[in-house]
Amino acid sequence: MKITFPYMGSPYMYEKLFSLLGHEVITPPRPSQRTINYGVKYSPEFACFPLKIILGTYLEALELGADTIVTSGGNGPCRAGYYGEAQKKILQNMGYDVEFIIFDEPKRDWKSFLENVKKIKGNNSWRRVIKTVKTVYDMAKSMDKVEKIVETKRAYECNKGEFTKVWREITEEYRKIESSEDVKRVEKKAIERLNSIKICEVPEEEKIKIGIVGEIYVVMEPSINANIEEVLNSYGAEVERSHYISEWIDFNLIPLPSYKEKEHEILKKAEKYIEIIIGGHAKQSVGAIIDFMERGFDGVIHLKPFGCLPELVSQSVIDKIMREYDYPILSLSVDEQMAIANVLTRIEAFLDVIKLKKHRKRIAR
Amino acid sequence: MEKIYIGVDVGSVSIKVVAIDENNEVLFNSYVRNVGQPIDTVKDELAKLHNELPDKEIGGVGVTGSGRQLLGYVLGADVIKNEITAHATATLQFHPDVSTIFEIGGQDSKLIIINDGTIADFAMNTVCAAGTGSFLDHQAQRLGIKIEEFGEIALTAKRDVRIAGRCTVFAESDMISKQQYGFSKAEILKGLSKALVRNYMNNLVRGRKLKPVFVFQGGVAANIAIKKAFEEEVGHEVIVPKYYDIMGAIGIAMLAKDEMKRTGNSTKFKGFEVSEEKFETTSFICKACPNECEIIQIKANGKVIAMTGDRCGRWSNSVI
């Protein structure tokens, strides 16, 4: 079994999980123009962007020799739930013989979830599986914790590009871990390294914090969202996303109520605008906007794959929120047609609006 | 020696160069078509500026528009900023009480909402260029009229004809079929003006409550039929400022002036000799990763001065 998986954010967690269980792993390459070309060429035109990119990723991994694809299913009435099936069909029509292992929410269908787990488990003892899962979970938690530091402090780096360079090296260190103890060691060293980078702080009242919300794939994958976090950081703004992989695991895969509190809280905040889960991350996006606003963030950037229905719904709610709270929110469509010049102009102007707003508030005080 | 501040707006269709004095008086302005050689064009315009104002000291230079990064680098600009901020800055200078700015240029349209003298909100056209100058230009050409006469002719129409304005392709095919049914050129042009404004309202305004004072600028503001269509839509007078087509350049010149005053620095402007330098642009495909970015390389007198187009920074960071 040569396993591959979708590339979203950091791929090292999946890579680690399967390799620690003794599988041969084909880590797909980071999405590039080639991935996009493949995905767009072989997907239905009106499918949304994440389906296309993930299909492109699969094709690249298959070229590298993968024969099994492990992926997650979807939630609610959003097309993402059918992606695995649709992509399987496309790949079969193209003549590939590939096995799909699709993980849906365990509570929906315990039996098939367990069957999938057994396929991945192989000959490993349950003890070993549990230990491995724990290690990988610790790694995800730790990487997210460290990345949050990067997203904050990179806004103030004196030498442009230093944080990104160090962060890349840190992720390579994480890639080598074998146990939870390794995770702790790598994390400690990572934080020390980040703290030693020279930063040129600005006065507290001039700091800008931006939240990023939207559909999980386009929010998490920098290679297709025009590297928005780095761009915002380079303009001197701190960034936080509405999605981190470890938080996704907490909510979707860990069957303990205490791990779901954060997400439930976010969903509750959206209740006033979207009553039920309408699929994708529409409700989370709206909840996250309110959350960022309450936590004193200066503005929110909303990313949606072009043609994504759930995020189109949240966008129409956004208009209302903007007016109700006089809160700056910028909605950006993401797909293969996204033009960088246009996006940069919007982001720059958006930050100008925020700066002027803050300035005016300061004067009024 | 009296100081002047230069503003350059490198748009996708036109290039504007202005010089203002300490009191924001416009001493020089030029508006030329961007024929795809922005460096040469700006060079020529700067030479003209220098000719007209030979004894002035350059206090600062600002560059805006979609070509701002490159031109800013070539000129040695003190301020490189987006056109939304630049436009709002100039409008506030000439109409301090403005609340709503409609701006339609060659390739994009913008809405800027002003509150208490600062930008409160803005919107830009996203997936469609049906409401922009280039499209109007193209249609005027197709109908065999000069773009300058577009507005006047449209206003002579006696009847209304509805044109589908969602997208340039549909708008054009709808126009052609309406023409074939026998509607006059004037009626078609009037219908097109209304369609453009309707499209603008649906795509950019999106239900926002617009307040007067309304200002309409950008190259398209020369079109009196579109001004009228806007007035009918908002039910209020819409002002077209005196310098409607060079507001971005004026705004960026003002921002450069403010920046120099604030920092007290002297300008980084490379001087009018820049107009003697020979620029050459080449490109190649980087094969370092599957992104295969097209890297654009700019040379001045044979020396590489700027590289752009890479997603990873491998090339663009190598020259700074």
Side-chain angles (χ1 to χ4, degrees):
Chain A
M1 201 154 72
K2 292 182 180 174
I3 295 183
T4 194
F5 42 83
Y7 193 120
M8 178 175 83
S10 166
Y12 300 147
M13 200 194 90
Y14 314 94
E15 182 186 273
K16 200 88 271 176
L17 175 67
F18 302 130
S19 64
L20 285 179
L21 291 173
H23 296 292
E24 200 175 328
V25 182
I26 309 279
T27 303
R30 185 167 186 255
S32 66
Q33 192 56 49
R34 183 159 169 255
T35 321
I36 296 173
N37 292 349
Y38 265 166
V40 169
K41 185 168 172 189
Y42 296 108
S43 307
E45 189 190 348
F46 286 103
C48 20
F49 197 42
L51 178 140
K52 296 180 183 177
I53 300 298
I54 292 170
L55 182 75
T57 300
Y58 291 163
L59 284 166
E60 286 185 303
L62 291 171
E63 278 180 1
L64 295 171
D67 57 21
T68 305
I69 290 167
V70 181
T71 180
S72 64
N75 206 326
C78 154
R79 292 185 283 187
Y82 308 106
Y83 278 9
E85 294 301 329
Q87 286 160 331
K88 190 169 160 183
K89 199 136 199 166
I90 294 171
L91 291 175
Q92 276 169 356
N93 286 343
M94 289 174 72
Y96 284 103
D97 179 23
V98 50
E99 192 184 349
F100 264 82
I101 301 177
I102 303 170
F103 281 91
D104 276 306
E105 253 186 305
K107 69 166 187 248
R108 263 214 315 229
D109 187 352
W110 263 106
K111 254 173 125 184
S112 71
F113 184 80
L114 270 181
E115 259 164 48
N116 280 341
V117 171
K118 274 184 197 155
K119 280 187 205 160
I120 307 274
K121 174 181 169 280
N123 296 326
N124 295 288
S125 68
W126 281 107
R127 227 188 99 128
R128 166 110 186 123
V129 172
I130 289 166
K131 187 165 178 270
T132 306
V133 168
K134 165 114 186 7
T135 303
V136 171
Y137 175 72
D138 287 346
M139 173 178 164
K141 272 267 170 219
S142 173
M143 285 184 85
D144 284 345
K145 182 176 159 191
V146 174
E147 194 175 13
K148 281 186 183 177
I149 300 176
V150 174
E151 291 162 341
T152 308
K153 293 183 91 176
R154 185 166 51 192
Y156 312 113
E157 66 185 356
C158 301
N159 304 315
K160 216 177 151 222
E162 211 171 340
F163 268 95
T164 303
K165 193 172 149 267
V166 171
W167 171 233
R168 273 190 199 151
E169 287 163 15
I170 289 171
T171 55
E172 283 306 317
E173 288 301 311
Y174 274 107
R175 205 173 179 180
K176 290 182 210 140
I177 63 119
E178 299 272 328
S179 64
S180 291
E181 285 70 46
D182 289 347
V183 173
K184 281 200 197 100
R185 183 178 47 78
V186 171
E187 178 182 306
K188 190 163 172 268
K189 216 177 131 210
I191 292 176
E192 276 170 18
R193 281 196 72 186
L194 291 177
N195 282 338
S196 71
I197 297 177
K198 200 174 154 211
I199 54 172
C200 299
E201 286 266 11
V202 302
E204 200 58 42
E205 69 268 21
E206 278 174 35
K207 285 187 175 173
I208 292 176
K209 286 185 189 166
I210 303 290
I212 298 182
V213 307
E215 189 274 337
I216 188 164
Y217 191 83
V218 293
V219 167
M220 295 250 317
E221 184 43 54
S223 63
I224 62 153
N225 65 21
N227 225 343
I228 194 155
E229 287 178 58
E230 225 185 301
V231 168
L232 283 165
N233 282 156
S234 76
Y235 284 132
E238 294 179 22
V239 180
E240 189 179 315
R241 305 195 296 258
S242 60
H243 302 287
Y244 290 89
I245 194 71
S246 59
E247 290 169 2
W248 185 88
I249 298 170
D250 285 350
F251 184 67
N252 288 284
L253 300 178
I254 299 184
L256 296 171
S258 61
Y259 283 79
K260 300 182 185 298
E261 272 168 20
K262 185 180 174 198
E263 185 108 351
H264 280 305
E265 218 176 278
I266 297 281
L267 289 171
K268 212 174 160 57
K269 289 180 182 179
E271 216 106 273
K272 194 178 148 196
Y273 302 95
I274 300 180
E275 280 172 36
I276 54 165
I277 301 263
I278 58 162
H281 292 90
K283 200 170 176 182
Q284 278 95 336
S285 292
V286 171
I289 290 172
I290 306 287
D291 183 57
F292 280 129
M293 189 161 64
E294 288 173 355
R295 284 166 54 208
F297 276 62
D298 301 294
V300 166
I301 292 184
H302 170 232
L303 299 177
K304 60 172 202 291
F306 183 63
C308 168
L309 201 57
E311 292 306 333
L312 211 56
V313 173
S314 60
Q315 194 189 351
S316 53
V317 175
I318 283 171
D319 286 348
K320 203 171 152 190
I321 297 175
M322 280 175 75
R323 256 167 267 155
E324 209 172 303
Y325 297 96
D326 183 27
Y327 189 62
I329 306 170
L330 178 70
S331 252
L332 296 173
S333 265
V334 180
D335 76 351
E336 75 276 11
Q337 309 282 355
M338 185 153 113
I340 299 293
N342 185 296
V343 170
L344 292 183
T345 296
R346 276 163 209 256
I347 291 178
E348 208 190 291
F350 183 65
L351 292 177
D352 279 348
V353 170
I354 287 171
K355 280 179 206 157
L356 288 168
K357 220 179 176 127
K358 282 187 83 127
H359 184 67
R360 203 170 61 199
K361 261 193 202 149
R362 265 207 307 281
I363 291 172
R365 253 191 280 122
Chain B
M1 203 158 43
E2 197 194 353
K3 276 189 182 169
I4 57 167
Y5 300 86
I6 298 176
V8 181
D9 180 354
V10 187
S12 44
V13 174
S14 58
I15 292 176
K16 301 83 151 176
V17 178
V18 306
I20 59 168
D21 67 10
E22 303 276 358
N23 305 316
N24 301 320
E25 278 307 319
V26 179
L27 305 178
F28 173 89
N29 78 78
S30 82
Y31 179 106
V32 283
R33 269 190 185 257
N34 184 349
V35 288
Q37 301 289 337
I39 296 178
D40 288 336
T41 311
V42 171
K43 248 166 71 172
D44 293 349
E45 297 313 304
L46 281 180
K48 278 183 211 157
L49 186 153
H50 191 41
N51 260 339
E52 274 185 39
L53 308 164
D55 53 351
K56 300 273 199 263
E57 189 192 339
I58 308 301
V61 176
V63 182
T64 186
S66 48
R68 63 184 178 278
Q69 293 298 345
L70 170 63
L71 257 298
Y73 189 85
V74 168
L75 297 179
D78 301 298
V79 174
I80 300 174
K81 262 221 178 289
N82 65 85
E83 50 277 29
I84 294 168
T85 307
H87 265 281
T89 305
T91 317
L92 280 162
Q93 167 67 28
F94 297 104
H95 299 279
D97 48 355
V98 63
S99 278
T100 308
I101 303 173
F102 304 129
E103 199 267 325
I104 305 186
Q107 286 295 332
D108 55 22
S109 41
K110 303 180 195 82
L111 165 74
I112 308 172
I113 308 275
I114 306 281
N115 196 351
D116 294 340
T118 52
I119 312 176
D121 191 11
F122 69 89
M124 255 170 108
N125 61 333
T126 44
V127 287
C128 144
T132 61
S134 293
F135 178 60
L136 294 180
D137 222 11
H138 175 66
Q139 295 314 322
Q141 241 173 48
R142 210 179 53 77
L143 294 172
I145 61 154
K146 284 205 187 103
I147 186 70
E148 294 80 11
E149 294 164 358
F150 186 121
E152 297 283 340
I153 297 174
L155 287 187
T156 64
K158 298 208 168 54
R159 294 172 301 177
D160 274 332
V161 51
R162 194 177 170 92
I163 308 274
R166 174 182 297 279
C167 133
T168 53
V169 179
F170 297 138
E172 180 159 318
S173 66
D174 197 29
M175 278 173 59
I176 292 173
S177 84
K178 296 276 156 67
Q179 236 185 322
Q180 283 161 343
Y181 279 123
F183 287 97
S184 70
K185 271 184 196 178
E187 285 157 352
I188 300 282
L189 291 175
K190 184 181 176 194
L192 189 58
S193 307
K194 289 195 148 184
L196 186 151
V197 170
R198 209 163 50 230
N199 179 314
Y200 182 98
M201 289 291 160
N202 296 342
N203 283 324
L204 274 80
V205 180
R206 288 169 56 93
R208 288 180 180 86
K209 275 218 169 61
L210 301 181
K211 279 183 262 170
V213 169
F214 297 95
V215 172
F216 176 25
Q217 58 202 41
V220 173
N223 190 317
I224 185 166
I226 293 180
K227 172 184 182 284
K228 186 125 187 292
F230 266 122
E231 286 177 336
E232 278 169 21
E233 186 67 44
V234 298
H236 201 278
E237 189 204 356
V238 172
I239 301 167
V240 174
K242 180 178 168 201
Y243 294 116
Y244 65 90
D245 57 349
I246 53 165
M247 294 293 264
I250 296 177
I252 198 68
M254 288 172 55
L255 287 167
K257 190 185 75 182
D258 294 347
E259 175 77 10
M260 305 321 282
K261 292 255 155 84
R262 195 176 61 80
T263 60
N265 293 344
S266 53
T267 181
K268 286 183 275 180
F269 181 48
K270 291 183 181 164
F272 290 102
E273 304 77 58
V274 76
S275 53
E276 303 300 323
E277 268 184 285
K278 191 153 170 40
F279 290 101
E280 186 196 352
T281 303
T282 53
S283 78
F284 61 90
I285 304 289
C286 170
K287 296 275 186 191
C289 88
N291 270 321
E292 306 205 340
C293 302
E294 186 185 10
I295 314 299
I296 298 167
Q297 190 179 47
I298 294 124
K299 287 182 184 172
N301 292 338
K303 186 176 163 274
V304 177
I305 56 158
M307 286 176 117
T308 175
D310 51 347
R311 294 185 192 196
C312 66
R314 179 193 179 97
W315 300 101
S316 50
N317 290 339
S318 70
V319 278
I320 299 169

